[in-house]
Amino acid sequence: MTLNITSILFYAFSLVLLGAATMVVIARNPVYATLYLVLTFFSAAAIFLLLGAEFLGLILILVYVGAVMVLFLFVVMMLDINLARLKEGFLSYLPLGLAIAALGVLELAMVYWTAPMGQVPAPAPFPGNYDNTRALGYVLYTQYLYPFEIAAAILLVAIIAAIALTLRRRSGSKNQQTEEQLLVRAKDRVHLVDLRIKKH
């Protein structure tokens, strides 16, 4: 079997993707895990570009890497995470993690045995004027319109819930009174004292 440059790049990016995804789970430092997740998204975007899905690849880079993951990285770096406490509970979650990993591998093996990759027919070549962005939009807003709207509604509810949880009143917290700060006058806050020695 001869491999062209596209196949070689596909396997190379796939290996990088699998390695980075594994490091996301294994890494003890949350900042390192977030950086490995950025590398995973970049590798997946490169695979999308190789498969001819340019729109999905660019959206993955612009939205997830450019916005979501940068936000995650800043949030993780700003949080005061106790790494020692996280390491203490690692062994307690190990059996559950191994069970979930074994279940995932079993599901992939069942899919492979049901339809081996060698028996899957190759997709038909697309014409020169084919626009995958238009085709994706057509399928998304016709066949999958209701699931798309339901997902948008769920995200809206999640955003409202996150804002409501953030803005709740906590006992003992110190908040700024913006109205009182704007009405402050200099003579109410500053008192000048003459420390010079007066001569009699």
Side-chain angles (χ1 to χ4, degrees):
M1 183 179 66
T2 59
L3 294 177
N4 53 15
I5 185 62
T6 304
S7 300
I8 295 174
L9 290 177
F10 177 82
Y11 288 113
F13 286 128
S14 299
L15 290 176
V16 174
L17 189 147
L18 292 175
T22 305
M23 292 303 299
V24 171
V25 182
I26 295 177
R28 298 291 184 90
N29 194 324
V31 178
Y32 293 163
T34 307
L35 293 176
Y36 281 121
L37 190 55
V38 171
L39 179 59
T40 304
F41 284 147
F42 266 114
S43 302
I47 293 175
F48 277 134
L49 293 176
L50 289 176
L51 295 177
E54 297 88 1
F55 179 75
L56 293 177
L58 294 176
I59 287 298
L60 190 61
I61 293 177
L62 293 177
V63 176
Y64 283 92
V65 178
V68 178
M69 290 313 305
V70 173
L71 179 62
F72 282 178
L73 184 60
F74 276 104
V75 170
V76 169
M77 292 177 66
M78 290 175 63
L79 292 177
D80 187 13
I81 300 177
N82 190 356
L83 297 179
R85 186 176 180 182
L86 292 177
K87 294 178 181 178
E88 290 176 358
F90 176 75
L91 293 178
S92 61
Y93 296 107
L94 185 60
L96 178 61
L98 292 177
I100 294 175
L103 182 60
V105 172
L106 180 62
E107 291 177 354
L108 292 177
M110 292 175 62
V111 171
Y112 180 77
W113 287 332
T114 304
M117 297 182 63
Q119 299 179 5
V120 176
F126 297 112
N129 58 352
Y130 178 77
D131 189 356
N132 57 8
T133 305
R134 179 179 298 178
L136 179 63
Y138 179 79
V139 173
L140 185 63
Y141 293 109
T142 55
Q143 184 177 357
Y144 297 99
L145 178 62
Y146 290 116
F148 180 77
E149 294 294 337
I150 292 173
I154 292 175
L155 289 176
L156 179 61
V157 171
I159 292 173
I160 296 174
I163 295 174
L165 291 175
T166 305
L167 293 179
R168 71 179 187 272
R169 296 292 181 180
R170 298 181 178 89
S171 59
S173 62
K174 296 181 180 180
N175 299 321
Q176 292 184 348
Q177 302 295 331
T178 310
E179 298 82 3
E180 297 180 3
Q181 291 176 353
L182 293 175
L183 296 177
V184 168
R185 295 177 299 176
K187 63 180 182 179
D188 297 334
R189 293 296 181 92
V190 179
H191 181 65
L192 299 179
V193 177
D194 190 2
L195 298 178
R196 292 175 296 179
I197 300 174
K198 295 182 180 181
K199 296 180 180 181
H200 298 284

